[in-house]
Amino acid sequence: MENPKLIISEKERDLMRSWIIGHQAPDIHVRESLDRLYKELDTADVRKEEDMPPDVVRVCSIVDVGTPAGRRNGLQLVMHADADLKQNKLSVLSVLGSALIGYRQGASIVWRLPKGDQTITLERVDNSRCDVSALRP
């Protein structure tokens, strides 16, 4: 199964590229996920901010996802420095975070997780509290 094409704003694409290049991945799983995301950014549907659909996962989205390990509700994608899973804040540079960025609500994404290729279902995307203009490199 082929994943849908990423949809991402120009600003987020540029930020993600710089974050990926500057990130020291803690293990091979994270490095592989980031390398894959970097390549997918090359073919992404890059849009101006005002043309972004409201149901695309962004750096600030709150999402509910289903994985073979179970359902996770209320995960907020954040910059790596702000990640704290105890507060449901998931780094966009983590394996799961890099798998979600740029996909739309309802998408099923096949991504290599630590236990191998797994299907992740993007059940809900909430961007009501997103402020992409506040993101910094």
Side-chain angles (χ1 to χ4, degrees):
M1 178 172 115
E2 188 171 315
N3 290 334
K5 193 173 196 176
L6 296 183
I7 301 171
I8 195 161
S9 72
E10 292 175 275
K11 178 177 184 169
E12 285 174 290
R13 180 204 53 198
D14 295 345
L15 285 171
M16 290 299 302
R17 283 182 172 163
S18 73
W19 293 340
I20 290 169
I21 290 169
H23 184 63
Q24 183 69 28
D27 61 49
I28 190 68
H29 301 294
V30 174
R31 181 77 270 148
E32 287 175 353
S33 287
L34 294 177
D35 289 347
R36 179 173 171 183
L37 175 59
Y38 196 89
K39 288 176 187 163
E40 287 190 7
L41 290 171
D42 287 339
T43 60
D45 178 358
V46 181
R47 300 188 182 184
K48 294 181 190 259
E49 187 61 38
E50 60 270 15
D51 296 329
M52 286 296 293
D55 64 344
V56 169
V57 177
R58 309 188 69 179
V59 183
C60 60
S61 297
I62 297 173
V63 300
D64 296 343
V65 297
T67 70
R71 185 179 166 122
R72 291 292 306 258
N73 294 329
L75 289 174
Q76 182 178 18
L77 271 76
V78 297
M79 296 184 305
H80 188 67
D82 298 329
D84 182 350
L85 283 178
K86 291 178 185 171
Q87 295 182 26
N88 273 352
K89 293 184 176 189
L90 178 68
S91 170
V92 295
L93 299 179
S94 67
V95 173
L96 184 56
S98 62
L100 299 174
I101 197 81
Y103 289 110
R104 295 183 88 157
Q105 182 172 298
S108 290
I109 306 137
V110 177
W111 202 261
R112 177 146 301 155
L113 300 176
K115 293 185 178 181
D117 287 353
Q118 306 271 323
T119 299
I120 303 163
T121 304
L122 193 47
E123 298 174 358
R124 183 181 70 92
V125 177
D126 176 6
N127 286 318
S128 63
R129 293 181 261 169
C130 275
D131 182 9
V132 175
S133 66
L135 297 175
R136 300 285 178 250

